[in-house]
């Protein structure tokens, strides 16, 4: 029993005392290197979070970590069985012999199982990165900010070309992570493309062939204009977003709504303030029901309908609810819950996102997301009554975008007296109305607006 306990605390010590000293010395040296490396990494990562994120998203490091954990599991289990052998079990009574076998088996299997589970997590993380990472070029921040276009739609594996159902630019401060969510309505018309782009050459006076979410479809029907593009629809949409907002887009991500539902379930649900009943499905659907008002935790199915429902509502109300969901997930999904539910999150995420963000940037964005937690998230939606979506005032839009970002960075004066929404009607995720605007669509703090 003593030899097995020594193996648990100091692998190799049993062999050093009662067995092959050479094996014991090698095992102790390996153990010393492992413990020193682990403790050193934890200490450095505590003061420099970037190291932890970079290691967590480095596919080469994860590959070697997985192999190392598997080797440690095997070697440690062998040392346990050798410690049992050194205890001369045949000299024990049958009862003591069975007890020794049981204790040794439990210790060996427990330690090996823990290490092999760690190897499984490292492999799952590596597979997730390889599955999700894109082939885009690494780009630097523009004016101190990363601008990431987030698109959502009922797409799936091999079907990322469908027209996006929602479009939001997350403008993220490259140092602090302070985020502004800028949403564009899918029904915007007569907007310009960024100058110098192939789409601007086709539509120099503005896009009059369809709505904003139809740009992707138009580009998909005219792929000869994008000979070097893997995603003509996405590239054309980015040209539109840049022309409308004046922002330079660094990266894009297409979110599959079914994968989003699975992600919410993987983290155990999201708590939202439901301000009025939200229809789930349409009246002709067999599952048609309502999400009742009140602060409550919603599962993936309910959260998806909270974010996408338009029946008995409107597009701009839905955009406000989507902002509230984004903010809730940012604030509520902690690193601890991510670790606890890692396998489920990895499975959901691999089916949820298609992106051009290269794997080398994942760690940096994860670090920025951690910084963003606990900070105010600002919101700007380019919707009525501020913006006429049929004939948008592009100068006004660019001014509003610049002001929203400046306020988030603290470089713009505070806004003047604004209309109070206190007595306005409510929508599912925010006070306000179609005629006066929903609070969550233009807010300095989404927590308060939602």
């Amino acid at each position: 029993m003593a030899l097995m306990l020594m193996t648990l605390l100091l692998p190799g010590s049993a062999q050093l005392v009662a067995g092959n000293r050479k094996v014991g010395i090698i095992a102790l040296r390996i153990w010393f290197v492992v413990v020193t490396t682990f403790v050193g990494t934890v200490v450095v990562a505590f003061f420099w979070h970037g190291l932890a994120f970079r290691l967590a998203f480095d596919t080469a490091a994860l590959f070697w970590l997985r192999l190392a954990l598997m080797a440690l599991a095997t070697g440690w289990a062998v040392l346990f069985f050798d410690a049992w052998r050194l205890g001369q079990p045949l000299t024990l009574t049958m009862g003591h012999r069975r007890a020794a076998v049981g204790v040794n088996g439990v210790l060996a299997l427990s330690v090996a199982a823990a290490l092999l589970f760690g190897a499984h997590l490292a492999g799952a993380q590596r597979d997730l990165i390889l599955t999700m990472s894109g082939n885009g070029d690494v780009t630097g921040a523009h004016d101190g900010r990363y601008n990431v276009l987030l698109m959502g739609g009922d797409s799936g594996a091999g079907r990322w070309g469908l027209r996006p159902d929602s479009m939001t630019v997350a403008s993220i401060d490259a140092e602090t992570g302070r985020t502004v969510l800028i949403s564009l309505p899918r029904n915007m018309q007569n907007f310009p493309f960024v100058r110098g782009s192939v789409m601007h050459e086709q539509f120099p006076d503005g896009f009059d062939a369809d709505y904003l979410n139809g740009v992707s479809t138009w580009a998909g029907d005219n792929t000869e204009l994008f000979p070097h593009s893997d995603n003509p629809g996405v590239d054309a949409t980015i040209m539109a977003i840049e022309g409308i907002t004046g922002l330079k887009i660094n990266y894009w991500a297409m979110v599959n709504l079914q994968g989003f539902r699975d992600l919410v379930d993987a983290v155990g649900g999201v708590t939202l303030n439901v301000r009025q009943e939200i229809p789930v499905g349409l009246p002709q659907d067999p599952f048609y029901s309502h999400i009742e008002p009140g602060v409550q935790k919603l599962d993936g199915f309910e959260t998806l309908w909270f974010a996408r429902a338009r029946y008995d509502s409107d597009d701009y109300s839905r955009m406000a609810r989507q902002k509230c969901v984004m903010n809730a997930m940012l604030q509520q999904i902690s690193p601890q819950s991510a670790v606890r539910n890692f396998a489920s999150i990895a499975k959901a995420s691999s089916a949820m996102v298609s992106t051009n963000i290269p794997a080398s940037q994942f760690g940096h964005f994860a670090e920025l997301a951690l910084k963003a937690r606990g900070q105010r998230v600002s919101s700007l939606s380019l919707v009525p009554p501020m913006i006429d979506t049929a004939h948008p005032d592009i100068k006004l839009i660019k001014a509003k975008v610049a002001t929203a970002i400046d306020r988030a960075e603290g470089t713009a004066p505070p806004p003047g007296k604004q209309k109070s929404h206190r007595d306005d009607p409510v929508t599912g995720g925010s006070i306000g109305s179609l005629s006066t605007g929903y609070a969550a669509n233009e807010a300095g703090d989404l927590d308060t607006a939602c």
Side-chain angles (χ1 to χ4, degrees):
M1 291 296 183
L3 292 173
M4 286 185 281
L5 183 60
M6 291 168 62
T7 302
L8 176 65
L9 300 176
L10 285 174
S13 59
Q15 286 71 27
L16 190 64
V17 170
N20 189 320
R21 290 178 57 83
K22 185 177 180 180
V23 171
I25 291 173
I26 293 175
L28 283 171
R29 286 177 177 173
I30 294 175
W31 178 245
F32 176 77
V33 171
V34 169
V35 171
T36 302
T37 303
F38 176 76
V39 173
T41 303
V42 170
V43 171
V44 174
F46 179 80
F47 295 100
W48 179 28
H49 296 315
L51 174 64
F53 287 117
R54 288 174 187 177
L55 290 177
F57 289 95
D58 187 323
T59 54
L62 290 169
F63 173 78
W64 289 110
L65 174 62
R66 184 184 185 188
L67 289 184
L69 290 173
M70 294 171 66
L72 284 174
T74 303
W76 208 340
V78 170
L79 290 176
F80 269 113
F81 286 114
D82 189 51
W84 170 78
R85 180 187 63 83
L86 293 174
Q88 300 180 2
L90 296 180
T91 64
L92 303 176
T93 64
M94 185 58 68
H96 290 169
R97 192 184 307 174
R98 289 172 178 168
V101 170
V103 171
N104 185 76
V106 169
L107 291 177
L109 291 176
S110 297
V111 170
L115 291 172
L116 290 175
F117 180 69
H120 165 71
L121 292 182
Q125 171 74 351
R126 184 172 183 272
D127 291 343
L128 172 64
I129 295 169
L130 293 174
T131 300
M132 289 182 59
S133 60
N135 56 0
D137 297 327
V138 175
T139 61
H142 301 293
D143 297 322
R145 303 188 74 84
Y146 291 104
N147 300 310
V148 183
L149 174 60
L150 307 174
M151 296 170 285
D154 290 315
S155 47
R159 299 171 57 222
W160 300 108
L162 296 183
R163 61 172 62 195
D165 197 51
S166 64
M167 288 156 282
T168 298
V169 177
S171 182
I172 308 163
D173 189 286
E175 296 296 329
T176 67
R178 180 78 157 83
T179 301
V180 181
L181 297 176
I182 304 164
S183 293
L184 296 93
R186 63 178 187 166
N187 63 341
M188 183 176 284
Q189 300 172 273
N190 300 303
F191 50 83
F193 293 93
V194 63
R195 290 186 177 275
S197 67
V198 64
M199 291 298 289
H200 183 264
E201 294 175 1
Q202 302 301 311
F203 299 95
D205 298 324
F207 190 65
D208 56 3
D210 202 343
Y211 294 138
L212 176 57
N213 70 335
V215 170
S216 177
T217 304
W218 190 94
D221 293 336
N222 298 272
T223 55
E224 68 279 1
L225 298 174
F226 307 86
H228 305 295
S229 174
D230 295 330
N231 297 281
V234 173
D235 290 343
T237 301
I238 289 176
M239 295 171 192
I241 300 298
E242 291 181 340
I244 296 168
T245 64
L247 297 176
K248 181 68 176 176
I249 301 299
N250 293 86
Y251 304 108
W252 59 267
M254 176 75 83
V255 180
N256 171 19
L257 295 183
Q258 178 58 45
F260 171 77
R261 169 183 169 178
D262 294 338
L263 176 64
V264 174
D265 284 332
V267 298
V270 176
T271 299
L272 293 164
N273 183 9
V274 184
R275 295 183 178 271
Q276 69 176 145
E277 66 176 23
I278 300 294
V280 175
L282 299 173
Q284 62 267 27
D285 293 327
F287 57 85
Y288 180 70
S289 61
H290 289 86
I291 302 172
E292 297 301 324
V295 176
Q296 53 183 300
K297 176 170 283 191
L298 305 181
D299 61 21
F301 178 76
E302 294 167 329
T303 304
L304 179 58
W305 278 103
F306 178 89
R308 72 182 303 198
R310 282 189 303 143
Y311 178 72
D312 199 24
S313 183
D314 58 73
D315 265 333
Y316 314 125
S317 164
R318 180 171 71 165
M319 291 171 68
R321 283 181 267 123
Q322 290 172 354
K323 294 284 189 66
C324 293
V325 171
M326 292 181 191
N327 181 66
M329 294 193 71
L330 174 65
Q331 304 299 343
Q332 294 174 28
I333 299 179
S334 66
Q336 294 83 358
S337 65
V339 171
R340 286 195 307 268
N341 303 283
F342 180 81
S344 299
I345 292 175
K347 182 179 179 181
S349 298
S350 62
M352 183 183 74
V353 176
S354 175
T355 182
N356 71 334
I357 300 177
S360 61
Q361 293 296 97
F362 281 5
H364 183 51
F365 278 105
E367 185 178 4
L368 289 176
L370 188 61
K371 290 180 179 179
R373 292 191 73 241
Q375 296 193 61
R376 290 181 302 154
V377 176
S378 301
S379 168
L380 173 67
S381 294
L382 307 177
V383 298
M386 178 179 66
I387 301 298
D388 179 356
T389 56
H391 302 282
D393 185 335
I394 301 301
K395 288 185 178 180
L396 174 62
I397 288 175
K398 291 181 177 179
K400 287 286 186 179
V401 169
T403 300
I405 291 175
D406 288 343
R407 284 176 183 158
E409 294 181 341
T411 58
K417 186 175 180 181
Q418 294 181 324
K419 180 186 181 303
S420 171
H421 291 271
R422 181 166 308 197
D423 298 325
D424 283 346
V426 299
T427 182
S430 174
I431 51 178
S433 66
L434 178 61
S435 60
T436 62
Y438 299 102
N441 275 336
E442 187 174 7
D445 182 4
L446 275 175
D447 270 338
T448 301
C450 292

